[in-house]
Amino acid sequence: MDIFLQQIVNGLVQGSIYALVALGYTMVYGIMGLINFAHGEVVMIGTLTAITVAGSLLAAGMPPALAGLAALIVATLLCMALGWGLERIAYRPLRNAPRLTPLITAIGMSIILQNLAMILWGRNYQTFPPLFPKVNFELAGVHFTAVQVIIVLLSAATMLSLTLLVYRTKLGMAMRATAQNPAVAGLMGVNSNRVISAAFVIGSALAALAGIMVGAYYEIAHYQMGFMLGLKAFTAAVLGGIGNLLGAMAGGILLGLIEALGAGYIGDLTGGFLGSHYQDIFAFMVLIVVLMFRPSGLFGEKTGDRA
Amino acid sequence: MSDNTNPTHKPVLLAAKQVAKHFGGVKALRDVSLTIRQGEIYGLIGPNGAGKTTFFNCMTGLYIPDGGGFDFTGTPLVADAPDQAAARGIARTFQNIRLFGNMSALENVMVGRHVRTRAGVIGAMFNSAATRAEEAAIRERAMALLHYVDIAERADDLAKNLSYGEQRRLEIARALATEPKLLCLDEPAAGMNATETGELRELIEGIRGDGTTVLLIEHDVKLVMGLCDRVAVLDYGALVIEDVPAVVQNDQRVIEAYLGA
Amino acid sequence: MSIKNWLLPRSTVGIGLIAIALIALPFALATGGQAWVRIANFAILYVFLALGLNIVVGLAGLLDLGYIAFYAVGAYTWALLASPHFGLHLPVWAILPIGAACACVAGVLLGSPTLKLRGDYLAIVTLGFGEIVRIFMNNLNAPINITNGAQGITLIDPVKIGDFSFAGNSTIFGLTLSGPQKYYFLLVALALLVIVVNLRLQNSRIGRAWQAIREDEIAAKAVGINTRNVKLLAFAMGASFGGIAGGVFAAMQGFVSPESFSLIESVMILAMVVLGGMGHIPGVILGAVLLAILPEALRYGVAPLQQLLFGKVLVDPESLRMLIFGLALVLVMRFKPAGLWPAPERKAHGNPNPEEGRA
């Protein structure tokens, strides 16, 4: 039972991070139907920027809390600019191109960002500076750290604000309208360019936040870290029903839990035949099974054939 | 070919039996029953949103009816299997033309031959004599159909580059390529001018003359009344009347449905 | 059908020139070292793979991001049936069909539950499938050692036809051919075969059904195409091609490991198809050759160029070459959104049977 609860906590933490990244995928997909493959790299840039900023400020003698805040602000602003630029330079000229064209562009941008990061930060693993107090809690036999608590609370708050933004503000309404029907939204006076830019910028801000969390949680970062993380987060978005904000959040948390429980129990389940290194398989297996029964994801709308 | 002026004694080709379909709380079709006889041109009219296209989609297997069903040539149609409906001999066009845009006009019609031909992957890979013969026959038949609808000169152009009227004709040619017993046209005259409508009318009469039964959904009441042997009127998903045009035209309920909506 | 004009230039002189160029190429490349012949071999292998994927993505319009899995299945089939790992050494005429069949089965296994999914959902499922296959190959060394895990399988038999081995030097008609050069000719022959098969499929009843599904699935159903079966057939065909390519890859390398079958490989092959011109065979071939050669050419060109410009190597050449590669993808898509060599707008069909006169 202790293992079970422990894995639930671990899954929740990992799932919160997936959820934040998944939101970026789902917003962009919902509005323009594009799988933004470069989104994972934005997370990576966020982590590495935060490491550089916080590291140098700490070295200069700044207190950890301030250094952390500065790192958060710089990384978020940089990622927002990056997201905005990505859309502006790479994707916007391709609005009316064949369906797979922007996908290849996204892959190209992903390769570019990864190698740019490698040139800037090098091939080696970077260590995340000690920003958070190393405190451990124990509750009902379950151990958790301050970082874990912060991650879960901060992502919950972020997701709540995003939901409010999308469902309570004018910009949010414009975003939902554009997702429903860009042409009609345009006729109604919605500036679709601005809405799409907003989706990229907000998604990138969430990515930066997630990037810092990943860095703080695992304490190391690397120029290739964005790829698998992005892939998992995209899987989470699809699991929940891509294009659906709530689905992305639920999908992210669910994926985190499935992976954690899977890693904890796969050995017992298969009589020791499969070990915990099959953890990555779980995400995809669950995805395939879910989509077999719910072709539009858990929370996706049913799309009937319209003749 | 045959005398079609009084087809009421001909055998039934399609019988809809209390077909019902609802989307959420909206009842799109309420127990619609009607019969289409062999060799007739049958019109299905009604105001916007009356359920005409829904009826089409249920019949051609794109929707699963929530109640009732269809008999075609005496045996039930399997729901949810459009390819089987086509194989049984029901072909259709779409209200908002659905062609294979990046294929040539000729290829579009050749695709229509799919259901009446056999060649598989192995035959194609080895380019066997049987495959070559079948391929030549497909091409010949498709070309003949393009001539029939009078767009043969556009055979090699991509379907998306054809004019609106040509696309409508191409869609009919593609449907005819499946050798249908029943050809269903969903608003074929939409967006056409008087001359084009006149040509369409000749085309439909020609098709019937060749022995194919035609089901016509149309907004152009004049066209329907002039062309059809019998007409059914749908309103709010329910059948109002099914009779010869002269009777339908003067029916009080029909007039109300059109004016009172 | 326009490929006729490209593959069969109006004059036989054209064919002759292409043939001579293809024959002379490995000898010309060898003067720069056997490494260049190997690069050419990989380029042809990628042509093979890209044409296989083109059936799925280009013709049937199904976005497959896990295509490399079938390549992996083919490669591992060869590796297991022709290496000391299990002590099996089956002949080529047995293994290649087995590899193709295994890949085909894998394709059907993946396809049958997932083909009703909408475009991008299918993409992520195929991607997941590719990863699952790779992870299994990475870990199936315990409790029973099947794939030898991350170390991979070594000492794989080369292609042998009778007593003639494609590995090592041998002398034919007084010409000494290296191993890579022999494989080159084998690959060219296979690639020509695949091109012919692809052309025939594209202009066949099934090929038209694939394209119809790509263009409008509902209309395709309405004209009587059993879209489920026909899509499955596209998956199976594409997978079989991948399986054969994988087998040749294993034999040529003498070594396979899960590393060769990562997601980025699937992505690369897809990029070849799209960048070249989806659904257009000459375009796909061009895309495959370009994207296979470009990173290699950059590998050799980037460091010396920096020396020349700045007098020293400023930036890590490995990242710089990938940077340029990524940039090339973005720029091509920006200025040629339909690919470098897309299908023509007007189709020529003058000759009712385009196959005639080719063989």
Tab-separated table of all heavy atoms in Angstrom, chain B residues 82-83 86 98 100-103 107 110 114 117-119 121 124-125 127 132 135 139 156-158 161 174 178, chain C residues 197 200 203-205 208-209 212 215-216 219 221-226 233 237 345-347 349 352-353 355:
chain	number	residue	atom	x	y	z
B	82	PRO	N	-21.801	1.763	-46.325
B	82	PRO	CA	-21.997	2.456	-47.599
B	82	PRO	C	-21.441	1.683	-48.786
B	82	PRO	O	-22.013	1.713	-49.885
B	82	PRO	CB	-21.254	3.780	-47.414
B	82	PRO	CG	-20.608	3.758	-46.105
B	82	PRO	CD	-21.055	2.565	-45.347
B	83	ASP	N	-20.319	0.971	-48.559
B	83	ASP	CA	-19.747	0.242	-49.692
B	83	ASP	C	-20.681	-0.873	-50.139
B	83	ASP	O	-20.791	-1.167	-51.334
B	83	ASP	CB	-18.356	-0.299	-49.339
B	83	ASP	CG	-18.349	-1.100	-48.060
B	83	ASP	OD1	-18.870	-0.599	-47.044
B	83	ASP	OD2	-17.844	-2.242	-48.079
B	86	ALA	N	-23.504	0.576	-52.191
B	86	ALA	CA	-23.059	0.821	-53.561
B	86	ALA	C	-22.998	-0.484	-54.339
B	86	ALA	O	-23.391	-0.553	-55.508
B	86	ALA	CB	-21.689	1.505	-53.548
B	98	ARG	N	-18.616	16.258	-53.683
B	98	ARG	CA	-17.434	15.625	-53.091
B	98	ARG	C	-16.733	14.813	-54.159
B	98	ARG	O	-17.032	13.635	-54.346
B	98	ARG	CB	-17.837	14.713	-51.932
B	98	ARG	CG	-18.575	15.415	-50.817
B	98	ARG	CD	-18.799	14.494	-49.668
B	98	ARG	NE	-17.635	14.487	-48.822
B	98	ARG	CZ	-17.695	14.686	-47.496
B	98	ARG	NH1	-18.837	14.881	-46.902
B	98	ARG	NH2	-16.598	14.664	-46.776
B	100	PHE	N	-12.851	13.634	-55.966
B	100	PHE	CA	-11.480	13.388	-55.560
B	100	PHE	C	-10.628	14.454	-56.249
B	100	PHE	O	-10.147	14.275	-57.369
B	100	PHE	CB	-11.056	11.970	-55.934
B	100	PHE	CG	-12.030	10.932	-55.433
B	100	PHE	CD1	-12.621	10.017	-56.294
B	100	PHE	CD2	-12.365	10.882	-54.079
B	100	PHE	CE1	-13.519	9.081	-55.824
B	100	PHE	CE2	-13.263	9.945	-53.603
B	100	PHE	CZ	-13.843	9.048	-54.476
B	101	GLY	N	-10.462	15.593	-55.567
B	101	GLY	CA	-9.959	16.812	-56.187
B	101	GLY	C	-8.636	16.694	-56.906
B	101	GLY	O	-8.459	17.256	-57.988
B	102	ASN	N	-7.704	15.954	-56.337
B	102	ASN	CA	-6.372	15.871	-56.942
B	102	ASN	C	-6.213	14.666	-57.860
B	102	ASN	O	-5.095	14.221	-58.113
B	102	ASN	CB	-5.298	15.860	-55.853
B	102	ASN	CG	-5.157	17.213	-55.203
B	102	ASN	OD1	-4.945	18.216	-55.873
B	102	ASN	ND2	-5.313	17.255	-53.889
B	103	MET	N	-7.337	14.132	-58.295
B	103	MET	CA	-7.271	13.089	-59.317
B	103	MET	C	-7.935	13.656	-60.566
B	103	MET	O	-8.775	14.549	-60.473
B	103	MET	CB	-8.000	11.824	-58.839
B	103	MET	CG	-7.384	11.230	-57.579
B	103	MET	SD	-8.353	9.886	-56.867
B	103	MET	CE	-7.896	8.528	-57.956
B	107	GLU	N	-9.906	9.695	-63.851
B	107	GLU	CA	-9.624	8.819	-62.700
B	107	GLU	C	-10.793	8.791	-61.724
B	107	GLU	O	-11.097	7.763	-61.128
B	107	GLU	CB	-8.350	9.283	-61.981
B	107	GLU	CG	-7.080	8.915	-62.711
B	107	GLU	CD	-5.839	9.566	-62.112
B	107	GLU	OE1	-5.932	10.713	-61.643
B	107	GLU	OE2	-4.790	8.919	-62.123
B	110	MET	N	-13.071	6.396	-63.060
B	110	MET	CA	-12.483	5.048	-62.966
B	110	MET	C	-12.630	4.495	-61.545
B	110	MET	O	-12.840	3.301	-61.360
B	110	MET	CB	-11.009	5.081	-63.383
B	110	MET	CG	-10.834	5.304	-64.898
B	110	MET	SD	-9.126	5.633	-65.371
B	110	MET	CE	-8.451	3.977	-65.487
B	114	HIS	N	-14.652	0.720	-59.323
B	114	HIS	CA	-14.041	-0.136	-58.313
B	114	HIS	C	-14.939	-1.293	-57.901
B	114	HIS	O	-14.540	-2.453	-57.869
B	114	HIS	CB	-13.690	0.704	-57.076
B	114	HIS	CG	-12.993	-0.048	-55.990
B	114	HIS	ND1	-11.630	-0.143	-55.917
B	114	HIS	CD2	-13.473	-0.770	-54.936
B	114	HIS	CE1	-11.294	-0.875	-54.867
B	114	HIS	NE2	-12.392	-1.268	-54.259
B	117	THR	N	-15.328	-4.212	-60.352
B	117	THR	CA	-14.128	-4.847	-60.898
B	117	THR	C	-13.392	-5.601	-59.805
B	117	THR	O	-13.741	-5.490	-58.631
B	117	THR	CB	-13.196	-3.797	-61.545
B	117	THR	OG1	-13.108	-2.662	-60.686
B	117	THR	CG2	-13.709	-3.366	-62.895
B	118	ARG	N	-12.349	-6.335	-60.181
B	118	ARG	CA	-11.784	-7.289	-59.249
B	118	ARG	C	-10.283	-7.136	-58.959
B	118	ARG	O	-9.818	-7.597	-57.933
B	118	ARG	CB	-11.961	-8.722	-59.799
B	118	ARG	CG	-13.384	-9.155	-60.046
B	118	ARG	CD	-13.732	-10.385	-59.233
B	118	ARG	NE	-13.465	-10.199	-57.826
B	118	ARG	CZ	-14.313	-9.595	-56.983
B	118	ARG	NH1	-15.453	-9.140	-57.409
B	118	ARG	NH2	-13.991	-9.455	-55.710
B	119	ALA	N	-9.529	-6.564	-59.865
B	119	ALA	CA	-8.070	-6.657	-59.808
B	119	ALA	C	-7.527	-6.279	-58.438
B	119	ALA	O	-7.957	-5.315	-57.818
B	119	ALA	CB	-7.435	-5.753	-60.865
B	121	VAL	N	-3.858	-6.355	-55.639
B	121	VAL	CA	-2.487	-5.864	-55.585
B	121	VAL	C	-1.528	-6.758	-56.380
B	121	VAL	O	-0.674	-6.273	-57.117
B	121	VAL	CB	-2.040	-5.773	-54.116
B	121	VAL	CG1	-0.546	-5.663	-54.008
B	121	VAL	CG2	-2.708	-4.596	-53.452
B	124	ALA	N	-1.783	-6.278	-60.040
B	124	ALA	CA	-1.217	-4.993	-60.442
B	124	ALA	C	0.303	-5.051	-60.449
B	124	ALA	O	0.952	-4.549	-61.372
B	124	ALA	CB	-1.699	-3.886	-59.488
B	125	MET	N	0.881	-5.703	-59.432
B	125	MET	CA	2.340	-5.744	-59.346
B	125	MET	C	2.941	-6.500	-60.523
B	125	MET	O	3.950	-6.104	-61.072
B	125	MET	CB	2.762	-6.408	-58.034
B	125	MET	CG	2.684	-5.459	-56.860
B	125	MET	SD	3.729	-5.982	-55.513
B	125	MET	CE	2.796	-7.309	-54.836
B	127	ASN	N	1.339	-7.036	-63.286
B	127	ASN	CA	0.739	-6.505	-64.502
B	127	ASN	C	0.234	-7.630	-65.394
B	127	ASN	O	0.555	-7.693	-66.580
B	127	ASN	CB	1.765	-5.637	-65.248
B	127	ASN	CG	1.076	-4.656	-66.174
B	127	ASN	OD1	-0.082	-4.318	-65.984
B	127	ASN	ND2	1.803	-4.215	-67.181
B	132	ARG	N	-4.491	-6.188	-67.071
B	132	ARG	CA	-4.396	-5.216	-68.171
B	132	ARG	C	-5.721	-5.106	-68.910
B	132	ARG	O	-6.186	-4.022	-69.231
B	132	ARG	CB	-3.288	-5.625	-69.142
B	132	ARG	CG	-1.891	-5.266	-68.667
B	132	ARG	CD	-0.918	-5.179	-69.842
B	132	ARG	NE	-0.891	-6.398	-70.640
B	132	ARG	CZ	-0.066	-7.420	-70.405
B	132	ARG	NH1	0.791	-7.355	-69.418
B	132	ARG	NH2	-0.096	-8.499	-71.154
B	135	GLU	N	-8.184	-3.273	-66.745
B	135	GLU	CA	-7.818	-1.853	-66.684
B	135	GLU	C	-8.271	-1.139	-67.963
B	135	GLU	O	-8.811	-0.033	-67.914
B	135	GLU	CB	-6.297	-1.761	-66.500
B	135	GLU	CG	-5.768	-0.394	-66.207
B	135	GLU	CD	-6.130	0.129	-64.826
B	135	GLU	OE1	-6.633	-0.661	-64.000
B	135	GLU	OE2	-5.931	1.327	-64.593
B	139	ARG	N	-11.021	1.886	-68.220
B	139	ARG	CA	-10.713	3.165	-68.856
B	139	ARG	C	-11.716	3.478	-69.963
B	139	ARG	O	-12.223	4.603	-70.061
B	139	ARG	CB	-9.293	3.090	-69.427
B	139	ARG	CG	-8.745	4.382	-69.968
B	139	ARG	CD	-7.305	4.192	-70.370
B	139	ARG	NE	-6.448	3.991	-69.218
B	139	ARG	CZ	-5.865	4.986	-68.553
B	139	ARG	NH1	-6.050	6.236	-68.942
B	139	ARG	NH2	-5.108	4.743	-67.517
B	156	ASP	N	-8.434	14.769	-68.609
B	156	ASP	CA	-7.117	14.746	-67.964
B	156	ASP	C	-6.907	15.880	-66.966
B	156	ASP	O	-5.849	16.000	-66.373
B	156	ASP	CB	-6.019	14.808	-69.032
B	156	ASP	CG	-6.098	13.602	-69.945
B	156	ASP	OD1	-6.557	12.547	-69.472
B	156	ASP	OD2	-5.735	13.724	-71.121
B	157	ASP	N	-7.910	16.720	-66.805
B	157	ASP	CA	-7.754	17.802	-65.835
B	157	ASP	C	-8.095	17.304	-64.439
B	157	ASP	O	-8.953	16.444	-64.264
B	157	ASP	CB	-8.686	18.967	-66.205
B	157	ASP	CG	-8.188	19.698	-67.425
B	157	ASP	OD1	-7.080	20.230	-67.366
B	157	ASP	OD2	-8.904	19.699	-68.450
B	158	LEU	N	-7.411	17.879	-63.453
B	158	LEU	CA	-7.739	17.523	-62.086
B	158	LEU	C	-9.159	17.973	-61.781
B	158	LEU	O	-9.587	19.051	-62.210
B	158	LEU	CB	-6.763	18.185	-61.105
B	158	LEU	CG	-5.294	17.785	-61.230
B	158	LEU	CD1	-4.492	18.358	-60.069
B	158	LEU	CD2	-5.136	16.273	-61.283
B	161	ASN	N	-10.021	21.434	-60.709
B	161	ASN	CA	-9.894	22.536	-61.655
B	161	ASN	C	-11.077	22.660	-62.602
B	161	ASN	O	-11.094	23.529	-63.467
B	161	ASN	CB	-8.604	22.391	-62.470
B	161	ASN	CG	-7.381	22.541	-61.594
B	161	ASN	OD1	-7.457	23.130	-60.516
B	161	ASN	ND2	-6.257	21.995	-62.030
B	174	ARG	N	-19.415	9.654	-62.154
B	174	ARG	CA	-18.769	8.746	-61.209
B	174	ARG	C	-19.804	7.820	-60.573
B	174	ARG	O	-19.571	6.617	-60.417
B	174	ARG	CB	-18.056	9.555	-60.115
B	174	ARG	CG	-17.272	8.704	-59.149
B	174	ARG	CD	-16.604	9.536	-58.079
B	174	ARG	NE	-17.577	10.125	-57.156
B	174	ARG	CZ	-17.274	11.013	-56.227
B	174	ARG	NH1	-16.019	11.417	-56.089
B	174	ARG	NH2	-18.197	11.500	-55.430
B	178	THR	N	-20.742	3.118	-61.166
B	178	THR	CA	-20.967	1.977	-60.276
B	178	THR	C	-22.126	1.104	-60.752
B	178	THR	O	-22.513	0.174	-60.061
B	178	THR	CB	-21.263	2.446	-58.841
B	178	THR	OG1	-22.513	3.140	-58.839
B	178	THR	CG2	-20.178	3.369	-58.308
C	197	VAL	N	7.047	-1.430	-59.386
C	197	VAL	CA	5.887	-1.907	-58.626
C	197	VAL	C	5.043	-0.728	-58.146
C	197	VAL	O	3.818	-0.738	-58.239
C	197	VAL	CB	6.344	-2.776	-57.432
C	197	VAL	CG1	5.200	-2.994	-56.454
C	197	VAL	CG2	6.870	-4.106	-57.934
C	200	ARG	N	3.083	0.748	-60.992
C	200	ARG	CA	1.960	-0.109	-61.363
C	200	ARG	C	0.847	-0.015	-60.339
C	200	ARG	O	-0.330	0.053	-60.686
C	200	ARG	CB	2.440	-1.554	-61.497
C	200	ARG	CG	3.273	-1.758	-62.746
C	200	ARG	CD	3.740	-3.172	-62.861
C	200	ARG	NE	4.381	-3.384	-64.152
C	200	ARG	CZ	4.939	-4.526	-64.502
C	200	ARG	NH1	4.967	-5.543	-63.655
C	200	ARG	NH2	5.492	-4.654	-65.690
C	203	ASN	N	-1.216	3.270	-60.552
C	203	ASN	CA	-2.174	3.355	-61.651
C	203	ASN	C	-3.032	2.102	-61.746
C	203	ASN	O	-3.419	1.693	-62.831
C	203	ASN	CB	-1.432	3.574	-62.970
C	203	ASN	CG	-0.723	4.905	-62.961
C	203	ASN	OD1	-1.295	5.909	-62.592
C	203	ASN	ND2	0.545	4.893	-63.333
C	204	SER	N	-3.300	1.488	-60.600
C	204	SER	CA	-4.133	0.288	-60.616
C	204	SER	C	-5.451	0.587	-59.917
C	204	SER	O	-5.648	1.673	-59.367
C	204	SER	CB	-3.429	-0.843	-59.883
C	204	SER	OG	-3.434	-0.581	-58.498
C	205	ARG	N	-6.319	-0.386	-59.957
C	205	ARG	CA	-7.621	-0.252	-59.301
C	205	ARG	C	-7.441	0.064	-57.817
C	205	ARG	O	-8.073	0.977	-57.280
C	205	ARG	CB	-8.376	-1.563	-59.485
C	205	ARG	CG	-9.650	-1.684	-58.700
C	205	ARG	CD	-10.379	-2.968	-59.083
C	205	ARG	NE	-11.530	-3.200	-58.238
C	205	ARG	CZ	-11.505	-3.920	-57.135
C	205	ARG	NH1	-10.384	-4.470	-56.721
C	205	ARG	NH2	-12.602	-4.094	-56.431
C	208	ARG	N	-5.916	3.573	-57.230
C	208	ARG	CA	-6.914	4.645	-57.348
C	208	ARG	C	-7.804	4.685	-56.116
C	208	ARG	O	-8.184	5.758	-55.647
C	208	ARG	CB	-7.759	4.443	-58.608
C	208	ARG	CG	-7.087	4.914	-59.876
C	208	ARG	CD	-8.073	4.894	-61.040
C	208	ARG	NE	-8.610	3.560	-61.276
C	208	ARG	CZ	-8.040	2.666	-62.079
C	208	ARG	NH1	-6.940	2.964	-62.726
C	208	ARG	NH2	-8.577	1.484	-62.236
C	209	ALA	N	-8.115	3.502	-55.579
C	209	ALA	CA	-8.941	3.471	-54.364
C	209	ALA	C	-8.197	4.158	-53.218
C	209	ALA	O	-8.793	4.912	-52.448
C	209	ALA	CB	-9.285	2.034	-54.003
C	212	ALA	N	-8.407	7.799	-53.724
C	212	ALA	CA	-9.767	8.265	-53.472
C	212	ALA	C	-9.989	8.448	-51.972
C	212	ALA	O	-10.571	9.446	-51.536
C	212	ALA	CB	-10.776	7.270	-54.045
C	215	GLU	N	-8.342	11.540	-50.832
C	215	GLU	CA	-9.005	12.773	-51.252
C	215	GLU	C	-10.301	13.024	-50.493
C	215	GLU	O	-10.595	14.156	-50.138
C	215	GLU	CB	-9.286	12.720	-52.756
C	215	GLU	CG	-8.036	12.740	-53.615
C	215	GLU	CD	-7.287	14.052	-53.499
C	215	GLU	OE1	-7.922	15.103	-53.563
C	215	GLU	OE2	-6.053	14.010	-53.316
C	216	ASP	N	-11.107	11.991	-50.313
C	216	ASP	CA	-12.382	12.162	-49.631
C	216	ASP	C	-12.906	10.795	-49.223
C	216	ASP	O	-13.446	10.049	-50.044
C	216	ASP	CB	-13.391	12.857	-50.552
C	216	ASP	CG	-14.656	13.254	-49.813
C	216	ASP	OD1	-15.040	12.543	-48.860
C	216	ASP	OD2	-15.261	14.271	-50.177
C	219	ALA	N	-16.765	10.110	-49.757
C	219	ALA	CA	-17.107	9.885	-51.165
C	219	ALA	C	-16.577	8.524	-51.610
C	219	ALA	O	-17.223	7.812	-52.381
C	219	ALA	CB	-16.534	10.998	-52.032
C	221	LYS	N	-16.274	5.852	-49.782
C	221	LYS	CA	-17.210	4.841	-49.282
C	221	LYS	C	-18.445	4.789	-50.167
C	221	LYS	O	-18.956	3.725	-50.488
C	221	LYS	CB	-17.650	5.193	-47.857
C	221	LYS	CG	-16.664	4.817	-46.789
C	221	LYS	CD	-17.247	5.217	-45.427
C	221	LYS	CE	-16.232	5.011	-44.333
C	221	LYS	NZ	-16.665	5.634	-43.075
C	222	ALA	N	-18.918	5.984	-50.542
C	222	ALA	CA	-20.175	6.059	-51.283
C	222	ALA	C	-20.069	5.430	-52.670
C	222	ALA	O	-21.067	4.981	-53.209
C	222	ALA	CB	-20.632	7.512	-51.399
C	223	VAL	N	-18.858	5.403	-53.248
C	223	VAL	CA	-18.754	4.733	-54.550
C	223	VAL	C	-18.451	3.255	-54.373
C	223	VAL	O	-18.194	2.551	-55.350
C	223	VAL	CB	-17.701	5.358	-55.493
C	223	VAL	CG1	-18.119	6.730	-55.939
C	223	VAL	CG2	-16.329	5.361	-54.876
C	224	GLY	N	-18.475	2.783	-53.143
C	224	GLY	CA	-18.404	1.339	-52.946
C	224	GLY	C	-17.053	0.803	-52.546
C	224	GLY	O	-16.805	-0.396	-52.620
C	225	ILE	N	-16.144	1.672	-52.122
C	225	ILE	CA	-14.845	1.176	-51.673
C	225	ILE	C	-14.955	0.774	-50.200
C	225	ILE	O	-15.440	1.540	-49.378
C	225	ILE	CB	-13.765	2.263	-51.848
C	225	ILE	CG1	-13.549	2.536	-53.337
C	225	ILE	CG2	-12.449	1.838	-51.200
C	225	ILE	CD1	-12.696	3.747	-53.628
C	226	ASN	N	-14.517	-0.437	-49.901
C	226	ASN	CA	-14.455	-0.875	-48.515
C	226	ASN	C	-13.209	-0.228	-47.910
C	226	ASN	O	-12.112	-0.771	-47.970
C	226	ASN	CB	-14.382	-2.393	-48.442
C	226	ASN	CG	-14.364	-2.896	-47.017
C	226	ASN	OD1	-13.885	-2.217	-46.115
C	226	ASN	ND2	-14.899	-4.077	-46.814
C	233	LEU	N	-4.761	-2.687	-46.585
C	233	LEU	CA	-3.900	-3.145	-47.672
C	233	LEU	C	-2.738	-2.170	-47.875
C	233	LEU	O	-1.593	-2.594	-48.087
C	233	LEU	CB	-4.747	-3.230	-48.945
C	233	LEU	CG	-4.243	-4.088	-50.076
C	233	LEU	CD1	-4.006	-5.504	-49.592
C	233	LEU	CD2	-5.271	-4.112	-51.204
C	237	MET	N	1.082	-3.254	-47.503
C	237	MET	CA	2.034	-3.090	-48.608
C	237	MET	C	3.225	-2.249	-48.174
C	237	MET	O	4.383	-2.610	-48.402
C	237	MET	CB	1.368	-2.406	-49.804
C	237	MET	CG	0.399	-3.235	-50.593
C	237	MET	SD	1.121	-4.755	-51.187
C	237	MET	CE	2.426	-4.123	-52.201
C	345	GLU	N	-0.253	19.347	-62.410
C	345	GLU	CA	-1.672	19.715	-62.325
C	345	GLU	C	-2.517	19.021	-63.389
C	345	GLU	O	-3.663	18.699	-63.171
C	345	GLU	CB	-1.829	21.230	-62.484
C	345	GLU	CG	-1.493	22.011	-61.246
C	345	GLU	CD	-2.607	21.966	-60.209
C	345	GLU	OE1	-3.624	22.636	-60.411
C	345	GLU	OE2	-2.453	21.263	-59.186
C	346	ARG	N	-1.945	18.823	-64.544
C	346	ARG	CA	-2.688	18.152	-65.592
C	346	ARG	C	-2.039	16.809	-65.848
C	346	ARG	O	-0.830	16.703	-65.997
C	346	ARG	CB	-2.672	18.983	-66.876
C	346	ARG	CG	-3.704	18.536	-67.878
C	346	ARG	CD	-3.609	19.319	-69.182
C	346	ARG	NE	-4.098	18.494	-70.278
C	346	ARG	CZ	-5.368	18.412	-70.611
C	346	ARG	NH1	-6.251	19.088	-69.959
C	346	ARG	NH2	-5.763	17.621	-71.601
C	347	LYS	N	-2.872	15.788	-65.850
C	347	LYS	CA	-2.320	14.451	-66.019
C	347	LYS	C	-2.352	14.060	-67.498
C	347	LYS	O	-3.302	14.343	-68.190
C	347	LYS	CB	-3.143	13.457	-65.212
C	347	LYS	CG	-3.193	13.844	-63.753
C	347	LYS	CD	-3.433	12.641	-62.889
C	347	LYS	CE	-3.215	13.007	-61.443
C	347	LYS	NZ	-3.298	11.861	-60.565
C	349	HIS	N	-2.499	11.104	-70.233
C	349	HIS	CA	-2.857	9.680	-70.260
C	349	HIS	C	-2.865	9.150	-71.673
C	349	HIS	O	-3.492	8.171	-71.990
C	349	HIS	CB	-4.199	9.437	-69.591
C	349	HIS	CG	-5.383	9.635	-70.504
C	349	HIS	ND1	-5.775	10.866	-70.905
C	349	HIS	CD2	-6.219	8.752	-71.079
C	349	HIS	CE1	-6.825	10.731	-71.710
C	349	HIS	NE2	-7.105	9.462	-71.829
C	352	PRO	N	-2.798	4.421	-73.222
C	352	PRO	CA	-3.692	3.788	-72.270
C	352	PRO	C	-2.969	2.795	-71.370
C	352	PRO	O	-3.437	2.490	-70.292
C	352	PRO	CB	-4.719	3.087	-73.137
C	352	PRO	CG	-4.075	2.960	-74.475
C	352	PRO	CD	-3.133	4.107	-74.596
C	353	ASN	N	-1.837	2.284	-71.786
C	353	ASN	CA	-1.108	1.372	-70.922
C	353	ASN	C	0.327	1.847	-70.781
C	353	ASN	O	1.176	1.548	-71.606
C	353	ASN	CB	-1.149	-0.054	-71.475
C	353	ASN	CG	-0.636	-1.029	-70.429
C	353	ASN	OD1	-0.007	-0.626	-69.450
C	353	ASN	ND2	-0.908	-2.297	-70.639
C	355	GLU	N	2.697	0.986	-69.113
C	355	GLU	CA	3.746	0.003	-68.843
C	355	GLU	C	4.405	-0.476	-70.126
C	355	GLU	O	5.531	-0.916	-70.114
C	355	GLU	CB	3.160	-1.211	-68.116
C	355	GLU	CG	2.598	-0.894	-66.757
C	355	GLU	CD	3.668	-0.437	-65.803
C	355	GLU	OE1	4.823	-0.875	-65.937
C	355	GLU	OE2	3.372	0.389	-64.950
